């Protein structure tokens, strides 16, 4: 039996100021709703960073980091639009992506990360130090229950 020795996937980063940012956004249309694409603009949005993992010449995982003001005065980033294509969900890509996004947030001098997780993903985020706050709510766009979570970065 032949087992292929594959290297770890590379996380590619795109800043909202990059010319490729909107192209990558469109390639991730299974994550970003078409209605949101028309409103995304590097001139009217705070600077954000898009992460993408590519396999088989396709984007199979992506997520977005954007600065979020906190009432406490702390520097937080919101982790949003994180998704992994269904065939790859349990292949370790979500772990690789989340760790890369946490590392990138630290490099951006973030003190913490904020996210809105689908209820079925809460345990996954808990395993990386996120804690729940506020009540579970139904997302207006998807109708799925979500939980707000936060993690401090040290």
């Amino acid at each position: 039996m032949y087992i292929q020795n594959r290297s770890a996937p590379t996380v590619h980063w795109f800043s909202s100021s990059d010319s490729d940012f909107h192209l990558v956004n469109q390639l991730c249309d299974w994550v970003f709703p078409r209605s949101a694409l028309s409103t995304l603009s590097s001139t009217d949005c705070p600077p954000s960073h898009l992460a993408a993992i590519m396999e088989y010449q396709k984007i199979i995982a992506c997520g977005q980091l954007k600065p979020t003001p906190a009432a406490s005065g702390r520097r937080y980033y919101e982790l949003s639009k994180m998704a992994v294509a269904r065939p790859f969900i349990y292949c370790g890509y979500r772990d690789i992506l989340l760790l890369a996004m946490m590392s990138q947030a630290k490099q951006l001098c973030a003190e913490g990360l904020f996210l809105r997780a689908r209820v079925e993903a809460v345990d996954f985020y808990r395993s990386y130090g996120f804690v729940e706050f506020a009540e579970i709510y139904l997302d207006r766009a998807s109708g799925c229950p979500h939980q707000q979570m936060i993690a401090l970065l040290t």
Side-chain angles (χ1 to χ4, degrees):
M1 179 167 72
Y2 175 74
I3 298 174
Q4 184 178 9
N5 185 11
R6 296 182 48 168
S7 59
T10 302
V11 177
H12 302 275
W13 285 97
F14 303 89
S15 172
S16 55
S17 61
D18 294 341
S19 60
D20 291 337
F21 181 80
H22 292 290
L23 174 63
V24 172
N25 231 344
Q26 291 170 350
L27 291 173
C28 293
D29 64 2
W30 50 272
V31 175
F32 301 99
R34 287 270 176 221
S35 59
L37 287 176
S38 61
T39 62
L40 290 173
S41 167
S42 58
T43 58
D44 60 7
C45 293
S48 61
H49 304 271
L50 183 67
I53 296 177
M54 299 180 73
E55 285 284 336
Y56 311 106
Q57 300 178 341
K58 293 184 184 217
I59 295 173
I60 61 160
C62 63
Q64 187 172 19
L65 283 173
K66 60 183 174 182
T68 301
S72 66
R74 291 183 180 237
R75 186 178 170 101
Y76 282 89
Y77 272 75
E78 180 180 4
L79 191 158
S80 62
K81 300 177 182 170
M82 186 166 152
V84 178
R86 284 206 188 278
F88 302 96
I89 288 177
Y90 299 107
C91 298
Y93 291 103
R94 66 182 183 164
D95 300 272
I96 292 166
L97 183 61
L98 180 60
L99 288 170
M101 295 184 81
M102 292 174 82
S103 177
Q104 180 73 7
K106 285 180 187 178
Q107 289 179 19
L108 294 167
C109 301
E111 295 177 66
L113 279 175
F114 163 78
L115 60 84
R116 295 173 182 94
R118 287 183 178 225
V119 170
E120 62 266 18
V122 167
D123 287 337
F124 167 71
Y125 289 112
R126 265 194 213 129
S127 71
Y128 285 96
F130 285 84
V131 294
E132 302 98 304
F133 70 94
E135 298 293 321
I136 293 174
Y137 68 95
L138 289 179
D139 181 71
R140 285 187 290 175
S142 69
C144 296
H146 280 68
Q147 174 68 59
Q148 295 180 61
M149 301 183 81
I150 196 164
L152 295 178
L153 302 175
T154 55

